[in-house]
């Protein structure tokens, strides 16, 4: 009986979301939007209990938009969501590979990331994401300074600390995760300004744990809080702490994996000067944690920036640049999650960020986040045999990315 009810529930979820799509309407008297005009569904199906996949097309004056949508019923106890990543913060993998390795029934690409370092010749791009990341309850990293981010211009009021997360209460929400941390030494306390980040605040100290991976830490000392392209700092330091004691002190950030039981501290400017006062054998303790504004712990979180709040697009969204986009939306009081990626096949058009917000609101999202787009936009569905890429990535093939939102179903 429970199994039959689950099937009925999944069908009702599919019908509900595609009813919204088919209607494509707005409240009486409301102005029509580009997202609301010419929106048509082209099929939907249950890919697993509580998870539905479908496509839609939208006709705009400049062309046709083709989209792919996963609708996730978080109220179904068989369904869960987690952040997928390739085992290290400073690493990248295709979404299909991330999904297949975890046997996810669906996934979309996640946060914007450190994709290139053309402004800093000789410095390696880390591949690490911009915002905070939480996977399976583990806090992986903090947010880089706003001026160090990659991606479209954020609307007023948004920061790199903004995330979309799913809590242990099985509800999705928009939140903001701020890093709190300290380096405790025999001489006093040093503020910790970064956790596994590809960019540190000017004058700051950052901690790199085994979760960072083997990527070079030099990038952390390049740019400034307001200018990503600014030169790398001339004053840096790196300290290795193993099992609570300093084991190495150097002037230049290094590369290579961080050993289990160790943490590497990287400092720039004033942070570097303070780290250089530490001595081999000195006891040092490092603490860090991400603090949210919402109630309850987040089981998973991915960075981006809000585009819809309380059912309406936020003010100040870009209305000019057209691109393939990815978004995650929240409905039904946090019980429904909408994961959407546009198709990048030749002959189809993309959306501006404002149009994306209009679309997500039309799909039923009361809140929504803009995720990485362009060649990163990828949506997959999975089964026991692997993962299938449903959209056409605009680069002609999947782009390796640092993380993705993965959907699981125990049915």
């Amino acid at each position: 009986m429970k199994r039959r009810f689950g099937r009925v529930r999944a069908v009702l979820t599919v019908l509900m979301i595609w009813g919204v799509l088919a209607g494509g309407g707005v409240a009486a008297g409301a102005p029509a939007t580009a997202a609301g005009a010419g929106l048509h569904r082209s099929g939907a199906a249950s890919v697993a209990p509580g998870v539905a996949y479908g496509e839609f097309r939208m006709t705009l004056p400049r062309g046709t938009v083709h989209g792919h949508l996963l609708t996730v019923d978080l109220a179904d106890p068989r369904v869960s969501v987690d952040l997928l990543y390739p085992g290290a913060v400073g690493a990248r993998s295709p979404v299909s590979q991330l999904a297949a390795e975890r046997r996810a029934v669906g996934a979309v690409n996640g946060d914007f990331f450190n994709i290139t370092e053309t402004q800093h010749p000789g410095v390696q791009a880390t591949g690490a994401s911009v915002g905070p990341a939480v996977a399976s309850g583990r806090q992986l990293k903090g947010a880089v300074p706003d001026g160090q981010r990659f991606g479209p211009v954020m609307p007023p009021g948004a920061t790199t600390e903004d995330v979309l997360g799913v809590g242990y209460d099985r509800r999705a929400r928009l939140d903001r995760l701020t890093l709190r941390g300290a380096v405790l030494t025999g001489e006093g306390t040093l503020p910790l300004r970064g956790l596994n980040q590809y960019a540190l605040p000017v004058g700051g100290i950052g901690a790199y744990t085994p979760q960072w991976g083997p990527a070079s830490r030099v990038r952390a000392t390049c740019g400034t809080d307001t200018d990503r392209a600014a030169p790398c700092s001339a004053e840096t330091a790196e300290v290795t702490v193993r099992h609570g004691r300093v084991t190495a002190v150097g002037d230049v950030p290094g590369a290579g994996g961080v050993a289990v039981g160790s943490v590497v501290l990287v400092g720039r400017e004033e942070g570097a000067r303070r780290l250089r006062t530490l001595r081999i054998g000195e006891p040092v303790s490092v603490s860090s944690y991400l603090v949210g504004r919402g109630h309850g712990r987040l089981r998973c979180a991915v960075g981006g920036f809000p585009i819809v709040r309380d059912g309406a697009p936020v003010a100040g969204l870009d209305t000019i640049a057209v691109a393939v986009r990815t978004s995650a939306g929240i409905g039904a009081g946090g019980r429904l999650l909408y994961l959407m990626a546009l198709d990048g096949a030749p002959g189809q058009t993309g959306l501006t960020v404002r149009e994306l917000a209009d679309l997500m609101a039309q799909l039923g999202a009361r809140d929504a986040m803009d995720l990485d787009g362009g060649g990163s936009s990828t949506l997959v569905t999975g089964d026991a045999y692997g993962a299938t890429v449903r959209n056409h990535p605009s680069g002609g093939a999947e782009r390796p990315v640092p993380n993705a939102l993965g959907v699981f179903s125990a049915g």
Side-chain angles (χ1 to χ4, degrees), residues 114-126 198 216-223 230-233:
N114 175 209
I115 189 172
T116 182
E117 281 304 320
T118 55
Q119 305 98 334
H120 305 116
V123 175
Q124 299 176 359
T126 65
Y198 70 77
S216 171
R217 296 176 288 275
V218 171
R219 175 59 184 85
T221 60
C222 299
C232 298
S233 175

Side-chain angles (χ1 to χ4, degrees), residues 41-65:
R41 68 183 179 95
S42 58
S46 174
V47 297
V51 184
Y53 162 74
E55 301 178 50
F56 61 87
R57 281 179 169 78
M58 183 168 61
T59 303
L60 301 178
R62 63 174 177 270
T64 300
V65 176

Side-chain angles (χ1 to χ4, degrees), residues 12-25 41 362:
L12 288 176
T13 299
V14 174
L15 291 175
M16 178 181 68
I17 181 60
W18 289 110
V20 172
L21 282 174
R41 68 183 179 95
Q362 288 289 326

Side-chain angles (χ1 to χ4, degrees), residues 124-377:
Q124 299 176 359
T126 65
S129 61
V130 168
V134 178
S136 301
R138 175 180 292 181
Q139 299 183 345
L140 300 179
K141 67 178 299 292
V144 302
D146 288 349
Q148 290 270 18
R149 66 182 296 275
F150 290 77
V153 175
M154 295 188 294
T159 84
T160 54
E161 295 181 345
D162 287 317
V163 298
L164 181 145
V166 178
Y168 282 93
D169 60 357
R170 303 181 55 80
R171 289 182 183 269
R173 69 176 190 256
L174 298 186
D175 206 338
R176 185 167 288 180
L177 296 179
T178 301
L179 179 67
R180 299 281 186 253
V183 180
L184 304 179
T185 75
E187 301 299 322
T189 300
L190 309 180
L192 189 70
R193 303 290 302 284
L195 173 64
N196 293 330
Q197 296 167 202
Y198 70 77
L200 295 175
V202 172
I205 296 172
Y208 294 81
T209 71
Q211 288 297 325
W212 171 252
S216 171
R217 296 176 288 275
V218 171
R219 175 59 184 85
T221 60
C222 299
T224 68
D225 298 354
T226 58
D227 183 4
R228 191 182 73 208
C232 298
S233 175
E235 191 170 11
T236 63
E238 181 171 279
V239 170
T240 301
V241 178
R242 181 166 177 78
H243 298 307
R245 291 193 178 272
V246 175
T247 59
V249 179
D251 293 329
V252 180
V258 178
V260 175
S262 298
V263 59
V264 172
L265 301 173
V266 174
R268 55 180 298 176
E269 296 89 29
E270 178 60 22
R273 291 190 287 271
R274 300 186 75 173
L275 285 182
R276 282 198 292 269
T277 66
L278 300 178
R279 298 292 179 259
I280 302 296
E282 182 175 347
V284 171
S285 175
V286 181
S287 64
S288 65
Y289 51 98
L290 298 172
V291 179
R293 298 186 177 186
H295 296 291
R297 288 180 58 210
L298 291 175
R299 183 176 185 271
C300 69
V302 65
F305 62 88
I307 57 173
V308 178
R309 288 190 184 275
D310 298 323
V314 303
L317 296 175
D318 181 71
T319 61
I320 304 299
V322 173
V324 177
R325 308 281 181 186
T326 304
S327 182
I330 303 166
R335 294 301 195 187
L336 280 180
L337 187 63
Y338 306 95
L339 303 180
M340 192 284 303
L342 297 183
D343 202 288
Q348 295 169 166
T349 188
L351 296 172
T352 67
V353 178
R354 171 55 198 253
E355 289 170 339
L356 176 66
D358 289 332
L359 170 64
M360 294 306 291
Q362 288 289 326
L363 296 181
R366 293 287 298 171
D367 299 291
M369 181 79 77
D370 182 35
L371 302 176
D372 193 11
S376 298
S377 285

